[in-house]
């Protein structure tokens, strides 16, 4: 009976330690293009249930979040009395936020262990500029603040 209690205690300790290790993981950063980013004005390129949470986290770090990308047609008069028309985008920077479930949960909770990826895209050139990956973590931890902070740090 004593051995059973010790074994049960060890299993419990290892399970909880594993969950803690997964919830405090690092964020990997891959900058694919070195570019001057300018004002912190972004829009979301994909629809995700986390847009509101991520928007709040970004706004707290000085980002201006435009809820939807839009274009407007602009007409400019030239010096030679001609006109030039072009489409002006609402922002230059787009964010895609993706979540991938690992299919695992933390022991004794119903928190899923997930991976989050944030991708920053230059809308003007349609090029991926920065990829942030938050490796396995639980959704109980505020991942949006961590991702927003890392984005601001690499702006």
């Amino acid at each position: 009976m004593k051995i059973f209690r010790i074994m049960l205690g060890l299993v419990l300790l290892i399970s909880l330690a594993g969950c803690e290790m997964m919830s405090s993981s690092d964020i990997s950063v891959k900058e694919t293009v070195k570019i001057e980013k300018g004002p912190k004005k972004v829009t979301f390129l994909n629809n995700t249930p986390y847009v509101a949470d991520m928007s709040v986290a970004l706004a707290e770090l000085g980002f201006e979040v435009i809820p939807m990308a839009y274009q407007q047609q602009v007409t400019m008069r030239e010096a030679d009395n001609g006109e030039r028309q072009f489409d002006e985008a609402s922002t230059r920077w787009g964010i895609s936020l993706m979540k991938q479930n690992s299919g695992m949960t933390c022991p004794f909770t119903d928190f899923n262990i997930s991976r989050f990826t944030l991708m920053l895209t230059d809308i003007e050139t349609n090029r991926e500029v920065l990829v942030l990956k938050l490796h396995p973590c639980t959704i109980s931890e505020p991942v949006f603040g961590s991702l927003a902070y890392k984005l601001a740090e690499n702006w």
Side-chain angles (χ1 to χ4, degrees):
M1 189 67 166
K2 189 174 186 178
I3 293 175
F4 178 73
R5 285 183 187 165
I6 292 172
M7 293 295 286
L8 183 62
L10 284 173
V11 168
L12 180 63
L13 182 65
I14 291 170
S15 296
L16 291 175
C19 185
E20 178 58 33
M21 285 172 30
M22 286 188 244
S23 69
S24 58
S25 351
D26 292 328
I27 297 175
S28 67
V29 178
K30 180 181 179 196
E31 190 167 25
T32 57
V33 177
K34 195 75 167 162
I35 191 166
E36 180 61 36
K37 296 175 187 75
K40 293 179 179 178
K41 187 175 179 183
V42 297
T43 191
F44 284 91
L45 300 177
N46 65 331
N47 189 11
T48 169
Y50 308 108
V51 168
D53 294 322
M54 193 69 213
S55 295
V56 169
L58 289 167
E60 288 174 352
L61 293 170
F63 283 86
E64 181 182 353
V65 180
I66 307 298
M68 282 190 266
Y70 63 87
Q71 285 185 332
Q72 62 184 6
Q73 193 170 50
V74 176
T75 303
M76 293 184 67
R77 295 189 189 252
E78 300 290 327
D80 62 355
N81 291 333
E83 288 185 346
R84 184 172 64 115
Q85 290 187 335
F86 61 94
D87 291 331
E88 181 180 64
S90 58
T91 64
R92 180 173 178 186
W93 304 105
I95 290 178
S96 301
L97 182 64
M98 292 137 304
K99 176 187 158 201
Q100 178 186 17
N101 286 328
S102 68
M104 298 173 15
T105 57
C106 263
F108 310 109
T109 71
D110 60 351
F111 296 132
N112 294 321
I113 298 172
S114 303
R115 294 173 183 87
F116 281 86
T117 302
L118 184 144
M119 188 169 65
L120 180 68
T121 302
D122 183 348
I123 296 172
E124 195 174 278
T125 62
N126 198 27
R127 292 184 69 187
E128 174 186 291
V129 175
L130 185 71
V131 178
L132 306 175
K133 288 190 177 201
L134 184 62
H135 298 288
C137 64
T138 64
I139 60 171
S140 64
E141 184 178 300
V143 297
F144 308 108
S146 301
L147 286 169
Y149 176 79
K150 199 54 103 166
L151 179 61
E153 189 178 84
N154 287 279
W155 198 265

